[in-house]
Amino acid sequence: MPARILVVDDDPLSGELICEILRSAGMDVGFLTSSSEAAERLKREKFHAVFLDMRMPAPDGAELARQIRASRVNASTVIVMITGEQDRTVMGRAFEAGVEFFLFKPVERNKLLKLIRATEGSIERERRRFTRVRLRCRGWLESGNERLEGTTLDLSLGGSLVQSHRAFPTGTIVTVTLELEAGMPPMRSGARVIRTVGTDCMGIQFENLEPKESLRLQEFLLPLILAAT
């Protein structure tokens, strides 16, 4: 499963060049010239990295980066800022918004390939974190005095799709308990419902996962993720 990348640049020629180079490196690349359209798409779809042009009609690259970092789906996504400036003020604003890497214009193939090599570790970690494995585990979701019993339909290091007799509304904060392996203590984590599917399925994203529980989940899932990819 290749890494999913979104390129957002209001200059079609520059954006298409970046896309062509990324695709030649084996990545699944989408391209948008509208930053407002990108903002809506980034609320719904998971990307492992996003390339943003700094100078665009509102929201510009820095504001879009800030929205990505505040989102539920792409908060930890790798962000690369495309810019023709090396002004400290501009770069400082980008860093404050959550940008991790810079691609300077004019875009050159060898420079972008070097950047890809520099970011591939971060992108791969993000890809594995959100790679979902089809897996049925018994679990419970609690919110206030309500408790739903359900079964996972898939599971990743970042969350799960859970089926129950009904679904909590999107945005609900829950405590999730999952029986990963028979005979072992269940895993517990805070989570948030980020989407619902029909009336009986909900996508949850883990939040405030304790380091010990995170390690347990990683040790359990990584062999399955590697086998699946």
Side-chain angles (χ1 to χ4, degrees):
M1 183 186 299
R4 292 193 73 212
I5 313 295
L6 181 65
V7 177
V8 187
D9 192 332
D10 61 345
D11 179 350
L13 292 178
S14 173
E16 287 292 356
L17 174 61
I18 294 169
C19 291
E20 186 273 320
I21 298 171
L22 293 173
R23 291 185 185 115
S24 73
M27 297 181 175
D28 177 9
V29 186
F31 176 46
L32 292 173
T33 57
S34 167
S35 59
S36 58
E37 184 179 346
E40 290 303 312
R41 190 168 176 184
L42 285 159
K43 291 176 184 177
R44 305 188 306 268
E45 297 180 42
K46 174 63 189 174
F47 293 92
H48 305 115
V50 183
F51 284 68
L52 305 174
D53 186 36
M54 184 66 179
R55 299 292 186 187
M56 294 186 291
D60 67 5
E63 177 56 31
L64 191 51
R66 191 172 292 108
Q67 291 179 23
I68 292 170
R69 287 287 175 250
S71 72
R72 296 169 185 166
V73 179
N74 289 292
S76 55
T77 290
V78 176
I79 302 178
V80 179
M81 186 65 76
I82 309 163
T83 179
E85 305 171 66
Q86 297 191 32
D87 181 87
R88 289 185 178 181
T89 302
V90 173
M91 295 179 71
R93 181 169 170 246
F95 276 125
E96 288 176 2
V99 172
E100 298 160 284
F101 301 94
F102 286 86
L103 175 63
F104 292 101
K105 294 181 177 181
V107 176
E108 298 178 9
R109 180 178 293 270
N110 64 329
K111 290 183 179 179
L112 180 49
L113 290 175
K114 285 181 181 178
L115 178 62
I116 292 170
R117 288 195 292 273
T119 60
E120 62 185 357
S122 299
I123 292 173
E124 178 63 12
R125 283 192 296 273
E126 187 69 2
R127 186 183 70 83
R128 287 185 178 177
R129 181 170 174 249
F130 283 88
T131 297
R132 295 188 176 273
V133 178
R134 291 184 180 180
L135 192 66
R136 299 184 73 85
C137 297
R138 188 183 180 199
W140 295 266
L141 280 74
E142 300 174 64
S143 176
N145 295 323
E146 297 184 82
R147 188 171 191 261
L148 301 180
E149 181 175 347
T151 304
T152 63
L153 300 181
D154 61 35
L155 184 64
S156 75
L157 296 172
S160 178
L161 181 63
V162 180
Q163 184 173 40
S164 184
H165 67 276
R166 69 178 183 86
F168 284 122
T170 299
T172 302
I173 303 297
V174 299
T175 299
V176 59
T177 304
L178 295 178
E179 291 184 345
L180 298 179
E181 298 177 275
M184 297 294 291
M187 184 199 88
R188 287 178 60 84
S189 173
R192 180 189 300 270
V193 178
I194 60 171
R195 65 188 176 103
T196 57
V197 182
T199 60
D200 62 350
C201 289
M202 55 199 131
I204 62 168
Q205 182 172 296
F206 299 135
E207 296 184 350
N208 304 316
L209 188 60
E210 294 290 334
K212 183 174 71 173
E213 296 288 62
S214 179
L215 181 60
R216 280 186 62 204
L217 181 61
Q218 180 173 297
E219 290 176 343
F220 173 71
L221 268 185
L222 274 184
L224 302 176
I225 292 172
L226 291 171
T229 57

